[in-house]
């Protein structure tokens, strides 16, 4: 290795801890594959070969202020950041005490709120907009943290990755993208999935980017440390492409001999990250035989005890809990006509605008964003007019034309302390965000066993009646009212618009707020002053018959 650990700020003790973590990750991965062959683990995701790319990154992270969004192969990263072998195995065995999902998800779908590790799903690349949203929160609130998000090279073909890279670069956000390039998306070789260079793509977005030897733990650590320090100091986002290799199949369900040769695997094993760090330690006289034996025995005992304890843990027994953070409970039905309300007579559009002014004045954590929402335009229907002038352009701002990014960024904001109101300009064009709404926002509370919430409001004009033709007149509610974890509401009066929007912003669950644009200027009525709420899920009687 060309780098000396002292020159990059690593003392001897920390370097040995890095080696021990890599050794633990390898031992744990080998044990999980053995459990799979024995029929005790139904599904295993391989990580052997990636240890340097993962642990080197993790040792550069400050978990007290930084956020991390690891992907499913990041066993070493998660061990370094505080998950134990027992924690990971509880997920492998789908046990109720699994700290990442309560046994609800497949293995390696990480979540660790106390260490700022955001919940992950099986959907590829959705984590990147989340990281951008978290980074926006950190910058907006003046927190000296950085969001670090990882994925494989296959994920860089997804639109979510490109949209997040673009947004992060435009906003100069404190986020570091880690791409662990093992040259295969399951069986698809890199030359059939990546045009050009991933690092060059990142430079095209105007950010710092490096392609490095991902099997050299010291190089990974030093490069990540520099990127994090740059982001923390206001230097914007970076991408690190760590060139590495996985020794086993994509998962226990993948036979890698179908698409690569044993000779190829052996060539990469000669560049093994553990062997390389081991050799460095030996040459630096930091790993005497006695210490080496002690470390190996320690990790073997730790993994063996973790297996025994995790296998004995209870299985989940309540698969339908935590679908909503605030479930809609049946209540006494309305039996009398709702009393008339008093207030200035306004139309529906004005009511929505006035309510957002009220909300943003009351809650400094609320931000409004989407296409054309910023002043002086103030939205194509003028629903957000004046918000930027009154509350600042960091709280009411335009985004690129990228619906998945808009919602995904909102998910990240909601996770990290903001109360986002994301606007999709027309409901007809919400469908590129379907994954972010259905697979992410609506699933977060359930899949994290209630440890995360997603207080995200999605506003969008919908329906016909304005001569919008085929693609500006659709009613989309049927797609989304069937989604567990998502609440869908439609106001029909100015008073309802105020009361329901206030309820939506205070709700811990994601709420899709559909605005019937035909009624924007057609319907007028009283706008109640002061406190006014319309509970979600409770009907009102407006007239008998």
């Amino acid at each position: 290795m060309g780098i000396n650990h002292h020159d990059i700020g690593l003392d001897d003790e920390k370097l040995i801890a890095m080696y021990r973590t890599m050794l633990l990750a390898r031992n744990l991965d080998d044990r999980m594959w053995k459990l799979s062959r024995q029929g005790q683990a139904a599904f295993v995701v391989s990580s052997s070969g990636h240890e340097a790319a993962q642990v080197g990154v993790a040792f550069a992270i400050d978990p007290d202020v930084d956020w991390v969004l690891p992907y499913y192969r990041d066993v070493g990263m998660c061990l370094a950041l505080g998950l134990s072998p027992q924690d990971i195995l509880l997920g492998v065995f789908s046990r109720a005490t699994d700290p990442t999902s309560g046994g609800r998800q497949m293995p390696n779908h990480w979540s660790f709120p106390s260490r700022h590790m955001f919940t992950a799903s099986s959907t590829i690349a959705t984590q990147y907009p989340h990281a951008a949203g978290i980074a926006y929160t950190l910058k907006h609130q003046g927190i000296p943290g950085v969001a670090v998000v990882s994925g494989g090279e296959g994920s860089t073909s997804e639109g979510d990755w490109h949209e997040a890279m673009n947004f992060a670069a435009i906003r100069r956000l404190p986020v570091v993208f880690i791409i662990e390039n093992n040259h295969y998306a399951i069986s698809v070789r890199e030359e059939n999935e990546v045009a050009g260079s991933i690092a060059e793509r990142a430079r095209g977005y105007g950010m710092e980017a490096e392609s490095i030897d991902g099997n050299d733990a010291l190089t990974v650590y030093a490069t990540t440390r520099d990127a994090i320090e740059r982001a923390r100091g206001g230097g914007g986002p970076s991408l690190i492409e760590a060139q590495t290799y996985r020794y086993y199949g994509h998962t226990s369900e993948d036979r890698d001999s179908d698409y690569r040769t044993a000779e190829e695997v052996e060539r990469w094993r000669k560049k093994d990250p553990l062997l390389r760090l081991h050799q460095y330690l030996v040459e630096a006289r930091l790993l005497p035989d006695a210490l080496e034996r002690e470390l190996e025995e320690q990790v073997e005992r730790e993994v063996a005890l973790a297996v025994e304890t995790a296998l004995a843990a209870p299985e989940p027994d309540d698969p339908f809990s935590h679908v909503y953070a605030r479930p809609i409970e049946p209540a006494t039905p309305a039996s009398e006509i709702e009393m008339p309300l008093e207030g200035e007579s306004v139309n529906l559009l004005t009511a929505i605008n006035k309510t957002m002014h009220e909300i943003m004045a009351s809650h400094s954590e609320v931000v409004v964003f989407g296409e054309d929402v910023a002043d002086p335009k103030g939205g194509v229907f003028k629903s957000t007019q004046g918000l930027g002038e009154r509350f600042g352009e960091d709280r009411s701002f335009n985004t690129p034309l990228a619906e998945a990014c808009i919602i995904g960024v909102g998910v990240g904001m909601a996770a990290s302390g903001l109360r986002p109101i994301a606007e999709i300009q027309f409901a007809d064009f919400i469908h590129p965000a379907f994954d972010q709404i259905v697979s992410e926002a609506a699933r977060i509370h359930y899949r994290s066993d209630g440890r995360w919430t997603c207080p995200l409001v999605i506003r969008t004009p919908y329906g016909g009646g304005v001569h919008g033709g085929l693609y500006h007149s659709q009613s989309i509610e049927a797609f989304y009212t069937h989604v567990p974890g998502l609440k869908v509401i439609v106001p029909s009066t100015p008073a309802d618009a105020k009361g329901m929007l206030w309820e939506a912003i205070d709700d811990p669950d994601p709420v899709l707020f559909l605005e019937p644009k035909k009624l924007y200027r057609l319907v007028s009525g009283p706008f109640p002053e002061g406190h006014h709420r319309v509970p979600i899920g409770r009907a009102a009687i407006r007239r008998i018959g």
Side-chain angles (χ1 to χ4, degrees), residues 80-121:
L81 291 170
L83 283 172
S84 70
Q86 180 179 321
D87 293 332
I88 292 172
L89 287 164
L90 287 167
V92 170
F93 299 137
S94 298
R95 294 304 196 247
T97 49
D98 160 28
T100 63
S101 75
R104 293 160 184 255
Q105 293 217 76
M106 298 176 78
N108 298 26
H109 288 49
W110 317 111
S111 172
F112 199 1
S114 65
R115 303 295 274 183
H116 299 136
M117 186 183 294
F118 189 48
T119 173
S121 75

Side-chain angles (χ1 to χ4, degrees), residues 303-330:
V303 171
L305 179 60
V307 171
E308 180 183 349
T309 306
L311 279 171
E315 296 190 0
D317 59 2
D318 189 9
F320 299 113
S321 63
H322 301 305
V323 175
Y324 292 94
R326 183 184 293 169
I328 297 173
E329 302 288 353

Side-chain angles (χ1 to χ4, degrees), residues 9-28:
L10 283 173
D11 59 29
D12 296 350
E13 183 178 353
K14 194 169 184 180
L15 183 64
I16 292 169
M18 181 183 289
Y19 176 74
R20 185 189 187 281
T21 305
M22 291 170 60
L23 192 65
L24 181 61
R26 178 67 60 84
N27 190 294
L28 178 59

Side-chain angles (χ1 to χ4, degrees), residues 8-153:
I8 58 174
L10 283 173
D11 59 29
D12 296 350
E13 183 178 353
K14 194 169 184 180
L15 183 64
I16 292 169
M18 181 183 289
Y19 176 74
R20 185 189 187 281
T21 305
M22 291 170 60
L23 192 65
L24 181 61
R26 178 67 60 84
N27 190 294
L28 178 59
D29 190 55
D30 287 343
R31 188 60 183 271
M32 288 192 293
W33 280 87
K34 184 177 180 180
L35 290 164
S36 174
R37 290 191 294 269
Q38 294 171 341
Q40 292 181 288
F43 187 80
V44 171
V45 180
S46 66
S47 63
S48 289
H50 281 239
E51 292 88 355
Q54 298 171 3
V55 177
V57 167
F59 268 65
I61 290 169
D62 181 351
D64 290 331
V65 293
D66 296 334
W67 285 67
V68 61
L69 296 88
Y71 88 122
Y72 50 79
R73 213 173 296 287
D74 280 330
V75 170
M77 184 183 296
C78 292
L79 287 170
L81 291 170
L83 283 172
S84 70
Q86 180 179 321
D87 293 332
I88 292 172
L89 287 164
L90 287 167
V92 170
F93 299 137
S94 298
R95 294 304 196 247
T97 49
D98 160 28
T100 63
S101 75
R104 293 160 184 255
Q105 293 217 76
M106 298 176 78
N108 298 26
H109 288 49
W110 317 111
S111 172
F112 199 1
S114 65
R115 303 295 274 183
H116 299 136
M117 186 183 294
F118 189 48
T119 173
S121 75
S122 298
T123 313
I124 300 299
T126 50
Q127 71 270 26
Y128 297 117
H130 302 170
I134 291 167
Y136 189 92
T137 301
L138 296 172
K139 183 176 181 179
H140 175 74
Q141 295 185 337
I143 299 169
V146 175
V148 179
V149 57
S150 64
E153 84 287 345

